[in-house]
Amino acid sequence: EPEVTQTPSHQVTQMGQEVILRCVPISNHLYFYWYRQILGQKVEFLVSFYNNEISEKSEIFDDQFSVERPDGSNFTLKIRSTKLEDSAMYFCASKELGTDTQYFGPGTRLTVL
Amino acid sequence: QKEVEQNSGPLSVPEGAIASLNCTYSDRGSQSFFWYRQYSGKSPELIMSIYSNGDKEDGRFTAQLNKASQYVSLLIRDSQPSDSATYLCAVSSGTYKYIFGTGTRLKVLA
């Protein structure tokens, strides 16, 4: 069964460093999403992406964040200058055109020291 | 601010009982409603989606939607210890944004 994959599974970085989280959505999916979940808290929407552009973003998704689909398979989230409060699990999700069902990847745990 | 509210729990039920999980949402324009299950340290896994008022059944799970009351619920019949997880309610008013509640932690006692 096709699935969303994410790499790395765990990323440790120093405050102020740039990180890139990578996702490979399901191949025929056209909508892509990033969410984050701080430990013990709720899943928070960051951004949605369709047709090579951002469709919607939350107030969390400020200038420190960017997304890109550099090729036909990868979808990346970049955090330019990480802060301690960026430590969280980051989930990528994708969905097919005409459906409402999102499929989540296993997540990347980001730890900012 | 569009919100989705859930009781954080834990909700403890004995094995074999019915677990009832509830969710309210603030955006009257919401069109799509979802229940996800999340095990500790794992990603959310879709259990059910519901779009119109009434009940929708899938195996041991029944989702109920009441748009007038802005209320969604999930019933789990014949609860099993393996159902112990956090249940997330999510709501969408379109294709591009999904709002999650904080989740209700369910414990099924053997």
Side-chain angles (χ1 to χ4, degrees):
Chain A
E1 185 176 321
E3 57 184 21
V4 177
T5 59
Q6 291 185 243
T7 54
S9 57
H10 191 189
Q11 174 92 47
V12 181
T13 190
Q14 295 291 325
M15 191 168 55
Q17 295 296 304
E18 175 183 287
V19 294
I20 297 176
L21 310 182
R22 301 180 194 281
C23 168
V24 178
I26 295 174
S27 62
N28 62 331
H29 288 191
L30 298 179
Y31 297 91
F32 313 118
Y33 307 84
W34 282 103
Y35 295 87
R36 80 171 184 192
Q37 187 175 31
I38 295 169
L39 187 63
Q41 298 187 25
K42 67 178 177 180
V43 174
E44 297 175 289
F45 169 81
L46 292 178
V47 67
S48 57
F49 191 87
Y50 170 72
N51 201 26
N52 284 318
E53 60 183 24
I54 290 174
S55 305
E56 189 150 358
K57 59 184 181 179
S58 72
E59 55 278 3
I60 301 168
F61 195 89
D62 60 22
D63 293 343
Q64 292 299 312
F65 291 88
S66 62
V67 289
E68 196 177 35
R69 185 147 164 87
D71 52 42
S73 58
N74 289 283
F75 179 52
T76 62
L77 174 70
K78 182 193 289 187
I79 309 175
R80 286 191 185 80
S81 178
T82 49
K83 304 191 264 290
L84 295 175
E85 55 265 37
D86 293 327
S87 295
M89 184 76 97
Y90 288 80
F91 293 111
C92 173
S94 69
K95 81 175 185 75
E96 240 180 306
L97 182 68
T99 73
D100 250 333
T101 304
Q102 292 181 89
Y103 293 85
F104 281 77
T108 292
R109 180 168 298 284
L110 176 65
T111 301
V112 182
L113 302 175
Chain B
Q1 180 80 347
K2 297 172 186 176
E3 298 285 344
V4 176
E5 301 285 344
Q6 294 181 257
N7 188 321
S8 60
L11 172 67
S12 295
V13 299
E15 184 175 357
I18 296 175
S20 177
L21 305 161
N22 305 313
C23 168
T24 58
Y25 59 94
S26 63
D27 181 12
R28 282 201 172 271
S30 300
Q31 299 168 5
S32 308
F33 308 87
F34 308 88
W35 283 101
Y36 286 83
R37 178 173 60 199
Q38 186 177 32
Y39 293 110
S40 181
K42 302 294 185 183
S43 59
E45 172 194 6
L46 182 68
I47 300 172
M48 291 190 70
S49 56
I50 186 166
Y51 305 99
S52 50
N53 282 330
D55 294 359
K56 179 181 177 183
E57 188 173 317
D58 184 0
R60 295 187 296 115
F61 299 96
T62 299
Q64 299 173 317
L65 173 61
N66 183 326
K67 289 186 179 179
S69 301
Q70 296 175 243
Y71 176 89
V72 197
S73 65
L74 180 71
L75 300 177
I76 307 174
R77 288 181 298 281
D78 188 23
S79 297
Q80 301 297 310
S82 57
D83 294 326
S84 298
T86 298
Y87 288 80
L88 311 178
C89 175
V91 171
S92 172
S93 56
T95 293
Y96 301 124
K97 187 173 184 178
Y98 297 76
I99 307 296
F100 282 78
T102 52
T104 298
R105 192 155 60 98
L106 173 67
K107 287 184 170 183
V108 180
L109 307 171

